[in-house]
Amino acid sequence: MSHARHAIAPSGKPFAFSPDNEAKFAQLLPKYPTKRAVILPALWLAQEQEGHITVEAMEYVARRLEQPAVAVFAVVEFYTMFKTEPTGKHHIQLCRTLSCWMRGYQDLQGLIERKLGIGPGEKTPDGKFSFELVECLGSCGTAPMMRMDDRYWENLTVEKLERIVDACNQGRDPAGEDH
Amino acid sequence: MVTITIDGNKIQAREGAWLIDVCRENGIDIPHFCYHPGLGPDGNCRMCQVDFVSPRGNKLGISCKTAVAEGMEVLTQSEAAKHARASVEEMLLLNHPLDCPICDKAGECSLQDYYMEHDLQSSRQDFTRFRKEKAKDIGPTLVLDQERCVLCDRCVRFLRDVAGDAQLYIAGRGHEAYITTFPGQEVTSPYSINTVDLCPVGALTAKDFRFGSATWFLKNTDSVCTTCARGCSMQIQSKKDQIYRMRPRENADVNGYWACDEGRLNYKFVNENRLARPFLRRGGETIECSVPEAVAEMRSLLGFKPAGPVDAPSGRKGVVLLSATATLEEMFLFQCLAQEILSAPLFVARHVPDGVDDRLLRRADKHPNAKGAELLGIRLLDLERGATAAAPVIEALGSDGVLIAVGFNTDVAPLDPIMARAKKIVALSGCKNALTDRADLVVPGLTFAEKDGLVVNFQGHVQQLKPALEPAGETEWRVVDLLIASLLGTKPHEFVTQIRKAIQDGVPAFAGVNLTKLLPTGARADARAVAK
Amino acid sequence: MATPKIISARFDEKKAHTLEGYLALGGYATLKKLFKMKPDEVIDEVKRSGLRGRGGAGFPTGMKWSFIPKNTDKPKYLCVNADEGEPGTFKDRLILERDPHALIEGILICCHAVGIKTAYIYIRGEYDFPLARLGAAVKEAYANGYLGKNIKNSGVDVDVVIHRGAGAYICGDETGLIESLEGKKGQPRPKPPFPAIVGVFDCPTVVNNVETISALPWIMTNGADAYAAIGTEKSKGTMLFSISGMVERPGVYEGAFGVNLWKFIEESTGGVKGGKKLKAVIPGGSSSAILTAEEARNVNLDYESIAATGAMVGSGAIMVFDEDTCVVEALEVVLRFYAHESCGQCPPCREGTYWLYEIVNRIRTGRGRPEDIDLMLAICPDMLGRTVCVLADSAAIPAASYIKKFRSEFEAYIDKANPPERKLHPGGINFEARAL
């Protein structure tokens, strides 16, 4: 298995918390006895603000919390949910661990690959979808399932997933297809 | 104290001490990667596993992060312990590139050593190795090979916890984990090369030494860094009269395990602009001469007859100015010359560039022996603390003074105002510079790498410089000793230890120190007993 | 005796997740009594109940609390482990979504017993909906005086902070969680010192699972004896079992310890999906050893009985393999998971999980060699008990047990003359996927 880690380079875009996030950040600080403990929550704010975490955002968080930038970077690289590149508008995280495997996540992957033309780690050219295979999301009783748009989609079948994807493609709320 | 049993032997140990330390103190080296005495245990590498004996059955555990306790019984060489360590070694080699033939660490690599120690099993590795980045330039001093890395975290912990400047971290996780800087940033710590010493494998190499020499061809000389007033214990590594590398030696009293990059790399001048033979200038002409001829010329310049004993003081007005890089023996002998024969003023000069003492090792005073001068009772001049600093020298020189300048090898600009006022100049310098370009008599001196001499660090700790290279000329102490002997009509000294004995006997600060037989880590002088 | 509902009593109540709904169902009723009790009395009560940690290790909860130093100037902390990540486990999620106030009430009980003023709930980052429900419940509890200063005039102060993880199974390990909470990579710490002495922010810390904490209100209301009366001698009370895989009705089922394992699965879920034959059962999450159908039919569901088979109750994650489930590919999925989730500290785990995965992947894809099976069996013991935490064990234990119990299936893949018929799409193995 070869390995190609994508290079993480500055985006060239300066980062600062929005006024909303600045207020949230101010509320976070007194909740912890150390500034370092605020790294994860602060990174969440940064990611929510820009959709992913830029090099500038890491430097910003490090500066605000008086931490070495490289320590913040190591944290970003450790946790799978922190993204250093923009994901698609709809980021599909399809679970592939035991119960979802038994219940046939493979067919769902097949549908995504056929219908959207993207494999794991890829993004559609229009930026609408990106796709990632993930490990157990803690929803084994409703396998197979996926996470997309900050929510779970459970008891999936190929047909149901197709309806969800279609809704996204047609600009409708896919929640209407979750039945 | 507690009593523990290691491999059947009862051993007394400090309660709470790490087992791995207790083993080492008792002659048992437990293989390890993440543990380092200067960093403490981390517990991640699992290489130091030993077998803990218990009535419920033996249990493997790490020796680095286990504190000894009364009654503890340990087997370091049981089959289980040896197998556990061998299996960790095997795991570490799974994705290791095995590029030892082109690796700078070959010969001083723990992976290699422990492989030899653990049975030389043939590899069961049977898949395509996981690739990471190789030969990655991560700053002015370092090159990183992520594939060779065993992720022991030593470099990370050193920069973060010791140097106080976290610039490397392990990012990612599992077998994908890798050492990295922050994207787009470099390792710029003034202590960066310590990470190369700490790296137990070939992951971090120093640009300065990369592909320089196979380590086993290098000759090691225990010496002292002369780059600042800390005087870190150093090992000079050389081959064929070339220095290839300098590395810190462990010295709890001075530098612990570390040295700064500036000190390590401050050896290039040893092979640059060196002066080979004494020479004198007469009417714009330079005339090479021998050392005895140079001594005779010195006598003449100082206004003495060329040979035979003299009645001191009777010479022309001389001023002796030593660099604070001069050794204790040189300072002592010039002190004799100046005070007892010439009745001339004597100064030790240092120029303190802008800078501060940092929290680890580096001192603003960039000279190894200012404290030595102080303990000998010689007046110190800080030449860069304002133009007036040179005034005492200039005043002493008067209109027809002879300046004897000793030990100024590089960076002589601060001497400009003094040189301008000296009628005649005698220079004992290792390297060609503005001072030797102007001097009327030049006697080549030696650099730290060729000298046998003592230096006293800012804490009053005396250590010995030892020659790593063949000397290019006569050593300074001998030149001045010859001059003194010729002026007094006595026999010159044969050995530098005779001078050391004289210092020990005559200078209160060194009364309690055996200067003739210093330990490799040196000894502490009595810094309060400053000579009058 | 009918299956008692202790944890799941309010799961089907539509409004139990709100304060109003919870109060209407008798919630927070135990606080009056609680704040009159001395902290040590509460610890004793929990000790007597026999409650054991439901996160996986099954350590007695009262005893864990009693390790916290009594005379210390340092603050003490409670970390509630809501980083539910063991494959097969999805029960804490239900508590967080449907009964979050029971967790908050449990937190108050623990904090009062141990003298804690701040509790952190570490919830896995992917749990969006549970996070929303829990967040709303905490907000409501603050607004109505169940959290904060001087709770219900008791003089007791408790703050709850919800801390969101960001995707790392290893943060479910108690010291991995502590490291992550401190803003670091979630890499478990060597022990000792144990969290009870040096935990989060270097202070004495209790780390308890969501379900464990949520059992406390019932115990305090009904008494330790009532709880201890349920279950077996050493496995007391009830537990939430997450049952998934090839069964008719996967889901979370609360059960008392001591019943027959397969009977419990069958009665709860309706048995194997589509009337197929049972092949195997994983009784306690993907890190447990596997049980053959026969073993599953003959073992009781309690800590000791399951442990006697070499498997474990763990987090109560039961996964059922039907006759068509390929054990070789299942092991590949399990090992891929652990290789992906290894934090990377210890070589036996970092390299061992990857090595095992590489070998099983090669076997499953028809590139296996006859010696590979024994090679895997030789590697497994070198990963057991050699590392800081038990993630390496979690890979080696299933690997060894799947191979030992279903060796012929592995051999069939290696036998080039008779490769097994492939029933499932070969799920592409793609470590790079994470990089997106």
Side-chain angles (χ1 to χ4, degrees):
Chain A
M1 184 160 44
S2 71
H3 172 63
R5 197 166 48 234
H6 66 284
I8 300 168
S11 68
K13 203 177 133 211
F15 182 90
F17 280 142
S18 63
D20 262 12
N21 279 340
E22 188 62 47
K24 286 183 190 164
F25 180 73
Q27 286 177 353
L28 284 171
L29 290 170
K31 293 184 174 177
Y32 301 88
T34 67
K35 288 197 167 165
R36 186 173 191 173
V38 185
I39 290 180
L40 261 73
L43 287 171
W44 272 121
L45 291 181
Q47 179 153 305
E48 280 156 18
Q49 187 170 316
E50 297 210 318
H52 68 290
I53 301 174
T54 60
V55 167
E56 288 83 353
M58 294 179 220
E59 277 176 318
Y60 178 82
V61 165
R63 196 165 58 245
R64 293 296 302 270
L65 296 173
E66 296 159 29
Q67 300 299 315
V70 70
V72 174
F73 176 67
V75 164
V76 171
E77 282 282 275
F78 187 83
Y79 296 94
T80 56
M81 293 183 78
F82 289 140
K83 303 297 178 196
T84 50
E85 284 182 354
T87 57
K89 183 163 179 275
H90 304 283
H91 182 58
I92 297 174
Q93 295 174 300
L94 180 63
C95 175
R96 63 174 176 187
T97 317
L98 269 176
S99 297
C100 288
W101 162 76
M102 276 190 254
R103 290 279 185 155
Y105 87 86
Q106 302 88 336
D107 296 339
L108 305 178
Q109 179 181 353
L111 177 89
I112 292 164
E113 287 176 351
R114 273 197 319 278
K115 197 165 173 83
L116 300 175
I118 51 172
E122 292 175 354
K123 189 157 71 166
T124 53
D126 60 3
K128 217 170 221 172
F129 292 95
S130 50
F131 172 40
E132 178 184 24
L133 285 172
V134 298
E135 299 297 346
C136 188
L137 290 176
S139 191
C140 321
T142 49
M145 58 77 63
M146 68 178 190
R147 180 173 181 264
M148 185 184 83
D149 301 347
D150 297 335
R151 57 158 289 187
Y152 280 9
W153 305 80
E154 301 169 71
N155 292 312
L156 291 176
T157 59
V158 172
E159 295 70 36
K160 182 170 165 182
L161 177 59
E162 189 159 21
R163 291 200 312 270
I164 292 168
V165 168
D166 284 342
C168 292
N169 259 331
Q170 294 157 10
R172 286 184 286 121
D173 182 1
E177 305 301 331
D178 192 11
H179 51 78
Chain B
M1 296 297 274
V2 293
T3 306
I4 66 167
T5 311
I6 302 177
D7 298 334
N9 301 314
K10 291 240 183 298
I11 282 166
Q12 295 281 312
R14 281 164 292 117
E15 185 168 10
W18 301 120
L19 178 57
I20 196 168
D21 288 332
V22 174
C23 286
R24 196 189 47 223
E25 285 154 17
N26 287 280
I28 303 163
D29 275 321
I30 310 284
H32 57 275
F33 291 100
C34 71
Y35 167 82
H36 184 279
L39 302 173
D42 192 68
N44 70 59
C45 81
R46 319 310 288 178
M47 192 62 188
C48 67
Q49 291 179 87
V50 294
D51 212 353
F52 290 86
V53 178
S54 119
R56 286 168 297 160
N58 294 4
K59 197 167 181 286
L60 291 166
I62 53 174
S63 56
C64 73
K65 216 167 184 180
T66 300
V68 295
E70 181 61 41
M72 184 180 273
E73 192 178 345
V74 182
L75 300 173
T76 67
Q77 304 301 322
S78 69
E79 281 312 308
K82 284 197 284 191
H83 177 83
R85 298 196 294 258
S87 96
V88 171
E89 173 79 12
E90 178 179 34
M91 295 287 185
L92 288 173
L93 287 171
L94 280 181
N95 280 307
H96 188 85
L98 298 176
D99 52 353
C100 308
I102 55 155
C103 178
D104 279 293
K105 273 283 170 71
E108 52 188 22
C109 166
S110 296
L111 265 183
Q112 281 185 337
D113 296 346
Y114 299 152
Y115 177 68
M116 306 303 277
E117 233 172 78
H118 289 95
D119 274 0
L120 304 162
Q121 307 160 49
S122 61
S123 176
R124 296 190 289 180
Q125 204 281 353
D126 43 23
F127 54 85
T128 311
R129 287 189 166 83
F130 191 80
R131 305 299 305 272
K132 296 180 189 175
E133 281 189 80
K134 293 186 79 69
K136 195 172 155 66
D137 185 334
I138 57 163
T141 54
L142 302 178
V143 175
L144 169 65
D145 185 312
Q146 293 173 345
E147 289 188 349
R148 294 177 188 157
C149 176
V150 294
L151 298 167
C152 68
D153 212 38
R154 277 188 191 173
C155 54
V156 174
R157 286 181 285 147
F158 171 78
L159 289 173
R160 184 187 61 206
D161 303 338
V162 179
D165 193 0
Q167 297 183 325
L168 287 175
Y169 249 76
I170 296 175
R173 64 192 198 195
H175 63 281
E176 290 183 4
Y178 61 101
I179 291 282
T180 183
T181 58
F182 187 78
Q185 288 183 5
E186 297 189 327
V187 178
T188 53
S189 164
Y191 293 97
S192 70
I193 305 178
N194 288 300
T195 63
V196 175
D197 298 343
L198 284 168
C199 184
V201 296
L204 284 166
T205 47
K207 282 185 179 171
D208 186 59
F209 180 68
R210 249 170 100 75
F211 306 125
S213 168
T215 55
W216 53 87
F217 291 131
L218 296 175
K219 184 185 88 174
N220 296 325
T221 308
D222 285 354
S223 190
V224 185
C225 178
T226 56
T227 305
C228 82
R230 173 75 58 177
C232 293
S233 291
M234 279 282 196
Q235 186 180 55
I236 302 173
Q237 296 191 302
S238 59
K239 188 173 76 178
K240 292 182 184 157
D241 277 341
Q242 282 272 342
I243 297 178
Y244 279 78
R245 179 167 71 172
M246 297 207 294
R247 298 203 298 181
R249 288 185 289 125
E250 180 183 343
N251 189 342
D253 293 326
V254 178
N255 55 302
Y257 305 86
W258 325 118
C260 71
D261 293 355
E262 189 185 354
R264 288 167 185 268
L265 300 177
N266 188 19
Y267 65 84
K268 310 281 178 189
F269 75 94
V270 169
N271 295 99
E272 282 167 9
N273 295 324
R274 293 302 295 275
L275 295 163
R277 288 174 57 83
F279 62 86
L280 43 99
R281 281 199 174 82
R282 275 206 195 113
E285 207 183 335
T286 46
I287 306 157
E288 282 200 357
C289 62
S290 66
V291 171
E293 284 165 355
V295 169
E297 179 67 13
M298 264 186 240
R299 290 178 58 122
S300 303
L301 285 170
L302 288 166
F304 296 112
K305 53 185 181 179
V310 297
D311 297 326
S314 63
R316 193 210 291 234
K317 209 170 178 186
V319 175
V320 181
L321 183 64
L322 289 105
S323 161
T325 58
T327 65
L328 197 64
E329 297 89 333
E330 289 159 20
M331 289 179 180
F332 178 77
L333 287 170
F334 275 104
Q335 191 178 27
C336 293
L337 175 75
Q339 290 178 353
E340 287 166 30
I341 302 169
L342 303 181
S343 188
L346 170 71
F347 303 94
V348 166
R350 60 178 175 182
H351 42 281
V352 183
D354 292 337
V356 286
D357 304 333
D358 76 10
R359 57 187 278 278
L360 187 53
L361 297 174
R362 296 187 307 154
R363 307 291 299 177
D365 177 1
K366 296 298 171 196
H367 303 77
N369 203 22
K371 192 74 179 181
E374 192 188 320
L375 295 182
L376 289 169
I378 302 174
R379 185 168 173 195
L380 264 176
L381 297 176
D382 285 341
L383 285 187
E384 272 187 12
R385 295 213 170 131
T388 53
V393 186
I394 291 165
E395 192 190 328
L397 281 168
S399 57
D400 61 346
V402 176
L403 175 71
I404 304 176
V406 184
F408 297 95
N409 291 331
T410 54
D411 192 15
V412 295
L415 296 182
D416 284 346
I418 297 170
M419 283 194 273
R421 297 294 296 272
K423 175 120 185 187
K424 295 281 181 187
I425 296 178
V426 176
L428 274 74
S429 292
C431 302
K432 182 177 175 326
N433 56 40
L435 176 68
T436 62
D437 288 348
R438 150 83 171 75
D440 302 277
L441 171 65
V442 174
V443 184
L446 304 181
T447 67
F448 74 94
E450 299 129 16
K451 265 184 198 177
D452 186 348
L454 303 177
V455 286
V456 187
N457 89 346
F458 75 101
Q459 302 157 295
H461 203 80
V462 197
Q463 293 184 87
Q464 187 178 350
L465 297 170
K466 287 187 184 161
L469 310 180
E470 281 297 314
E474 194 58 274
T475 184
E476 285 90 333
W477 77 264
R478 249 185 225 290
V479 176
V480 63
D481 191 54
L482 283 172
L483 176 63
I484 292 169
S486 102
L487 290 170
L488 295 180
T490 55
K491 258 179 71 179
H493 292 93
E494 266 185 272
F495 305 110
V496 72
T497 44
Q498 293 170 300
I499 315 298
R500 285 178 196 153
K501 186 79 175 57
I503 296 172
Q504 192 178 319
D505 293 345
V507 184
F510 302 103
V513 188
N514 187 348
L515 293 181
T516 59
K517 274 195 178 144
L518 275 179
L519 293 172
T521 48
R524 193 60 62 101
D526 183 357
R528 287 161 308 170
V530 176
K532 292 281 170 321
Chain C
M1 196 169 97
T3 309
K5 287 202 163 187
I6 292 176
I7 312 287
S8 61
R10 287 170 294 272
F11 279 5
D12 295 330
E13 302 286 346
K14 285 264 177 298
K15 294 191 78 183
H17 66 277
T18 64
L19 181 61
E20 188 195 349
Y22 188 65
L23 289 171
L25 294 162
Y28 291 117
T30 197
L31 294 190
K32 255 199 182 117
K33 177 177 154 195
L34 173 75
F35 293 139
K36 282 184 194 139
M37 290 172 76
K38 291 204 180 86
D40 279 346
E41 290 172 356
V42 182
I43 295 182
D44 283 343
E45 191 75 7
V46 173
K47 272 187 181 165
R48 279 200 305 120
S49 75
L51 177 66
R52 292 166 66 162
R54 302 293 191 231
F59 195 84
T61 305
M63 200 189 295
K64 201 173 200 179
W65 294 0
S66 65
F67 294 152
I68 299 286
K70 296 253 185 293
N71 304 310
T72 171
D73 298 336
K74 289 181 172 178
K76 304 168 205 172
Y77 294 103
L78 166 64
C79 293
V80 178
N81 189 342
D83 192 53
E84 186 165 58
E86 178 72 15
T89 317
F90 47 98
K91 43 100 183 172
D92 293 339
R93 181 184 156 198
L94 260 70
I95 299 172
L96 299 166
E97 285 177 4
R98 299 187 186 183
D99 204 10
H101 284 284
L103 176 65
I104 296 170
E105 191 174 355
I107 287 172
L108 294 175
I109 295 166
C110 172
C111 289
H112 178 58
V114 187
I116 291 170
K117 292 199 184 317
T118 308
Y120 292 96
I121 304 175
Y122 188 104
I123 182 168
R124 71 175 295 178
E126 295 90 345
Y127 272 4
D128 310 283
F129 186 56
L131 173 67
R133 278 276 172 92
L134 177 66
V138 167
K139 209 169 169 187
E140 261 190 311
Y142 265 109
N144 291 278
Y146 290 98
L147 286 174
K149 296 259 176 283
N150 190 20
I151 293 166
K152 297 291 163 196
N153 291 319
S154 61
V156 174
D157 307 336
V158 174
D159 279 306
V160 164
V161 177
I162 302 173
H163 190 87
R164 188 181 179 195
Y169 166 77
I170 195 57
C171 295
D173 172 274
E174 63 178 16
T175 54
L177 183 151
I178 286 170
E179 286 281 298
S180 179
L181 183 52
E182 289 182 356
K184 308 174 194 167
K185 299 178 285 175
Q187 297 187 315
R189 298 174 178 171
K191 293 159 278 277
F194 289 91
I197 313 297
V198 184
V200 73
F201 310 122
D202 291 337
C203 295
T205 303
V206 173
V207 185
N208 278 151
N209 171 261
V210 167
E211 185 186 342
T212 316
I213 294 286
S214 299
L216 297 171
W218 195 94
I219 293 171
M220 294 310 292
T221 304
N222 298 279
D225 296 334
Y227 191 81
I230 308 165
T232 69
E233 173 65 30
K234 286 185 175 165
S235 303
K236 290 176 173 154
T238 64
M239 180 157 173
L240 294 182
F241 294 96
S242 315
I243 308 181
S244 68
M246 306 313 283
V247 291
E248 282 290 351
R249 292 184 304 278
V252 172
Y253 299 92
E254 184 163 7
F257 289 106
V259 297
N260 174 275
L261 172 62
W262 180 246
K263 216 173 134 200
F264 175 69
I265 297 170
E266 214 169 21
E267 282 173 5
S268 306
T269 66
V272 181
K273 189 168 186 278
K276 296 258 187 183
K277 276 198 273 190
L278 175 68
K279 182 188 248 181
V281 174
I282 301 172
S286 64
S287 56
S288 168
I290 199 165
L291 301 175
T292 62
E294 201 195 335
E295 286 174 312
R297 287 199 174 93
N298 291 312
V299 71
N300 277 359
L301 180 49
D302 58 74
Y303 287 106
E304 284 66 35
S305 305
I306 299 274
T309 68
M312 63 176 184
V313 168
S315 56
I318 297 169
M319 283 175 283
V320 175
F321 288 19
D322 70 6
E323 58 187 296
D324 292 338
T325 308
C326 170
V327 172
V328 179
E329 191 163 334
L331 181 59
E332 183 186 6
V333 170
V334 168
L335 291 176
R336 181 181 60 200
F337 175 82
Y338 288 109
H340 181 260
E341 298 299 338
S342 168
C343 84
Q345 277 189 104
C346 309
C349 176
R350 175 175 82 223
E351 308 296 339
T353 52
Y354 181 63
W355 195 6
L356 287 179
Y357 165 70
E358 281 285 330
I359 300 171
V360 76
N361 171 254
R362 131 174 122 219
I363 293 174
R364 202 265 302 158
T365 53
R367 295 174 293 126
R369 308 168 310 182
E371 63 270 30
D372 278 347
I373 296 174
D374 287 328
L375 176 58
M376 288 184 80
L377 288 176
I379 294 167
C380 289
D382 288 343
M383 296 167 64
L384 293 174
R386 304 290 173 83
T387 46
V388 169
C389 78
V390 293
L391 195 142
D393 305 57
S394 301
I397 288 169
S401 91
Y402 289 24
I403 294 172
K404 280 178 190 155
K405 292 180 182 176
F406 297 93
R407 188 172 177 119
S408 61
E409 287 197 31
F410 288 83
E411 285 165 351
Y413 270 94
I414 291 168
D415 182 356
K416 301 285 188 290
N418 294 296
E421 192 187 329
R422 300 223 13 91
K423 291 206 169 64
L424 291 167
H425 180 286
I429 308 306
N430 203 328
F431 276 100
E432 283 86 341
R434 194 173 74 74
L436 181 74

